[in-house]
Amino acid sequence: MAEPTQDQIDELVAVAIAVRGMAYAPFSKFYVGAAILDNEGRVFSGVNVENSSYGLTICAERTAAGTAITAGAKEFVAVAVATPGAAAPCGACRQFLYEFGPRCTVLLVDSETGAVKHTATLDEFLPSGFRLSS
Ligand SMILES: [Zn+2]
């Protein structure tokens, strides 16, 4: 598993913060931006998209992952998530991302300051995640 460079981390943080304003969060008002770096050095972004039928809401991390996979990404190297207070990905997103990068670097970004508040590998966030493929 490749490690992201500092330049790549800086880019991911900037993208996650930049897209956050596009989130559709009229109910929670909790705007989230995510950016994923794949093993080819490409960056994909996503935001949370809420729905009047609350259970259909999708998180920014999964939106970004869907965009990445649609573009042909196979392996995630790093994921930046920007929220007020640098919230960690929910359990569903941890499992969803685990499919494509169990050892990827997860960066929790405070969207108000731009600071990376916490960095850990995904399998630190989700020990013994479920994965059928190797
Ligand atoms: Zn989530």
Side-chain angles (χ1 to χ4, degrees), residues 18-58:
V19 299
R20 184 176 159 265
M22 300 304 292
Y24 180 74
F27 309 111
S28 72
K29 311 286 193 223
F30 192 72
Y31 294 77
V32 183
I36 292 174
L37 174 71
D38 80 351
N39 63 338
E40 295 181 12
R42 299 180 297 172
V43 174
F44 305 95
S45 63
V47 297
N48 53 324
V49 182
E50 296 182 347
N51 192 276
S52 294
S53 179
Y54 293 172
L56 299 180
T57 293
I58 185 167

Side-chain angles (χ1 to χ4, degrees), residues 37-124:
L37 174 71
D38 80 351
N39 63 338
E40 295 181 12
R42 299 180 297 172
V43 174
F44 305 95
S45 63
V47 297
N48 53 324
V49 182
E50 296 182 347
N51 192 276
S52 294
S53 179
Y54 293 172
L56 299 180
T57 293
I58 185 167
C59 302
E61 300 92 316
R62 280 180 282 154
T63 304
T67 300
I69 296 304
T70 302
K74 304 292 186 213
E75 183 180 340
F76 298 168
V77 172
V79 180
V81 183
T83 75
C90 76
C93 286
R94 295 177 195 197
Q95 176 59 46
F96 197 89
L97 295 168
Y98 193 87
E99 184 76 17
F100 310 105
R103 300 275 309 147
C104 75
T105 299
V106 179
L107 306 150
L108 304 184
V109 182
D110 185 330
S111 58
E112 307 309 306
T113 65
V116 176
K117 292 294 191 181
H118 185 69
T119 302
T121 61
L122 183 56
D123 63 357
E124 290 174 310

